[in-house]
Amino acid sequence: MNHFVSMKDVTEHELMQLIKLSDEMDYNNGSTPFKEQLFAGNLFFEPSTRTKMSFLVAERKLGIEALDFHNESSSTLKGESMYDTAKTFESIGASFLVIRHSTNNTAQQLAKQINIPIINAGDGTGEHPTQCLLDLYTMYEEFKEFRGLNVAIVGDIKHSRVARSNAYALQTLGANVFLSCKKEWQDPSLDFPYMELDQAVKICDVIMLLRVQEERHKQHNRLYKTSYLSDYGLTKERANNMLDHAIIMHPAPVNRGVEIDSELVECKNSRIFKQMENGVKTRMAVIYQLCQSRGITHGNYYQKRQPIIVK
Ligand code: NCD
């Protein structure tokens, strides 16, 4: 594993290894597994609370120094390209880059151009592999296997990178994936059966809700909010029809009262805050695995240093 940009690239064996490794991540700043100081370039070009903060905590726990990058005060405002920004971080000694961008395939493209590992922290409507890994970890904690697990991914499928990464990875792991959403939000590129939520709650072990991706809709139509919960969201009535052992997931931020009844967010079957907790160790595992597999012991590992001869 050289980069972590798409769940399409990750095998069943690699996924299970990462889940196992996440469980073993008990480093805590000062017990770093790396021989030398590593630096992380966290390049967030889209808003983020959970993903950015859990990467920061994961890096700190691994003894990695996060380089302080703020898009709004960076040279991107002077027109510097994404490639030049990433190349700059590589040059000054970043050991890996964590990238979130509103354009699809940004991380995948950089992975072909940059010599240090790239971690995709969300590319447009494309993919969000570390969110997916923490989701998988949360499911595994609960059910101890994926084969035969019935998982419904519910909501704004078409615009959700979380839906895409989870659908690919769950398929790789042998789970049965069902999609549920209003017609306009179906995605023909995802070859999975669609099901009404009323039906899905009766047979699924996992109800994975998605945030309505308003910022990615061509037309902003806030009116949908008035009837969305009763038409397509997880109401208390629907939750009452769930299997006793079934869990509710949502990558957050949650639009309370839109995708889910506010009272269900912290109910007994909800794992929404557990997912956030699991985000730290799963991101530690991804960073650790990438650095290990590339033999990184310090930031400029890829440059064979030529000694300067003074005559
Ligand atoms: C997700 C994202 O940014 O794609 N959030 C997250 O990383 N936890 C989901 C979302 O914003 O809908």
Side-chain angles (χ1 to χ4, degrees):
M1 207 171 79
N2 291 331
H3 302 280
F4 198 62
V5 293
S6 167
M7 277 300 178
K8 274 186 180 162
D9 307 333
V10 191
T11 64
E12 179 173 4
H13 178 69
E14 286 170 329
L15 286 173
M16 294 313 297
Q17 258 190 335
L18 281 168
I19 288 171
K20 187 167 172 289
L21 190 59
S22 303
D23 233 12
E24 293 164 9
M25 284 291 119
D26 57 1
Y27 295 99
N28 213 336
N29 200 24
S31 62
T32 170
F34 305 111
K35 285 195 208 105
E36 309 210 12
Q37 180 63 59
L38 298 192
F39 295 94
N42 298 327
L43 309 184
F44 282 74
F45 293 90
E46 264 194 345
S48 176
T49 300
R50 270 150 295 273
T51 306
K52 187 170 177 185
M53 292 306 137
S54 64
F55 264 110
L56 281 174
V57 174
E59 287 155 4
R60 175 66 69 88
K61 285 191 169 206
L62 288 166
I64 297 168
E65 178 93 19
L67 299 171
D68 198 22
F69 173 79
H70 299 281
N71 180 31
E72 63 282 5
S73 56
S74 75
S75 288
T76 52
L77 294 190
K78 300 177 189 167
E80 188 164 48
S81 69
M82 188 62 225
Y83 170 78
D84 284 335
T85 304
K87 199 72 192 161
T88 300
F89 273 82
E90 180 187 323
S91 307
I92 61 178
S95 318
F96 59 88
L97 297 179
V98 178
I99 294 170
R100 168 169 289 193
H101 203 277
S102 57
T103 308
N104 287 30
N105 288 316
T106 300
Q108 291 86 330
Q109 186 56 36
L110 285 174
K112 294 186 192 133
Q113 300 168 306
I114 302 290
N115 296 307
I116 50 176
I118 304 287
I119 302 173
N120 183 1
D123 64 300
T125 61
E127 284 212 51
H128 195 348
T130 61
Q131 175 68 42
C132 173
L133 185 66
L134 74 88
D135 293 340
L136 297 176
Y137 184 88
T138 307
M139 287 181 235
Y140 193 76
E141 248 187 343
E142 201 75 33
F143 301 108
K144 302 287 175 261
E145 62 179 335
F146 292 102
R147 222 155 273 285
L149 203 65
N150 290 332
V151 182
I153 305 180
V154 183
D156 193 352
I157 306 283
K158 186 174 177 177
H159 304 101
S160 170
R161 51 202 181 199
V162 178
R164 228 167 302 287
S165 285
N166 269 290
Y168 299 145
L170 285 163
Q171 186 174 49
T172 302
L173 291 165
N176 305 316
V177 177
F178 303 99
L179 305 178
S180 179
C181 64
K182 56 181 192 168
K183 243 194 158 38
E184 308 92 277
W185 291 349
Q186 292 190 357
D187 183 342
S189 75
L190 286 174
D191 189 17
F192 296 90
Y194 280 85
M195 188 183 274
E196 292 294 324
L197 183 53
D198 286 321
Q199 171 66 12
V201 289
K202 292 182 189 154
I203 64 153
C204 285
D205 307 294
V206 179
I207 300 293
M208 180 186 288
L209 304 166
L210 303 169
R211 182 178 64 87
V212 177
Q213 307 281 300
E214 234 184 314
E215 72 277 26
R216 304 188 206 285
H217 296 169
K218 286 199 184 79
Q219 280 178 331
H220 290 269
N221 171 18
R222 285 172 194 271
L223 279 178
Y224 77 85
K225 283 191 175 165
T226 50
S227 62
Y228 185 83
L229 179 65
S230 56
D231 292 346
Y232 304 101
L234 191 63
T235 57
K236 282 190 265 187
E237 293 68 31
R238 289 190 177 111
N240 280 338
N241 288 329
M242 284 173 59
L243 301 171
D244 285 344
H245 69 264
I247 60 170
I248 300 167
M249 297 175 68
H250 189 308
V254 176
N255 286 310
R256 286 176 181 253
V258 177
E259 296 108 19
I260 179 170
D261 186 294
S262 186
E263 281 180 39
L264 295 172
V265 172
E266 291 175 73
C267 74
K268 175 169 83 39
N269 296 60
S270 169
R271 296 295 176 272
I272 297 175
F273 286 94
K274 187 72 188 159
Q275 287 171 263
M276 297 176 206
E277 182 187 326
N278 289 340
V280 174
K281 53 181 140 182
T282 45
R283 292 186 166 113
M284 286 171 79
V286 170
I287 294 168
Y288 181 94
Q289 183 71 22
L290 285 171
C291 293
Q292 279 293 105
S293 67
R294 288 227 179 173
I296 295 179
T297 51
H298 67 94
N300 284 326
Y301 79 99
Y302 58 90
Q303 281 176 352
K304 280 262 175 290
R305 191 169 164 268
Q306 294 294 328
I308 298 170
I309 315 280
V310 181
K311 288 186 184 146

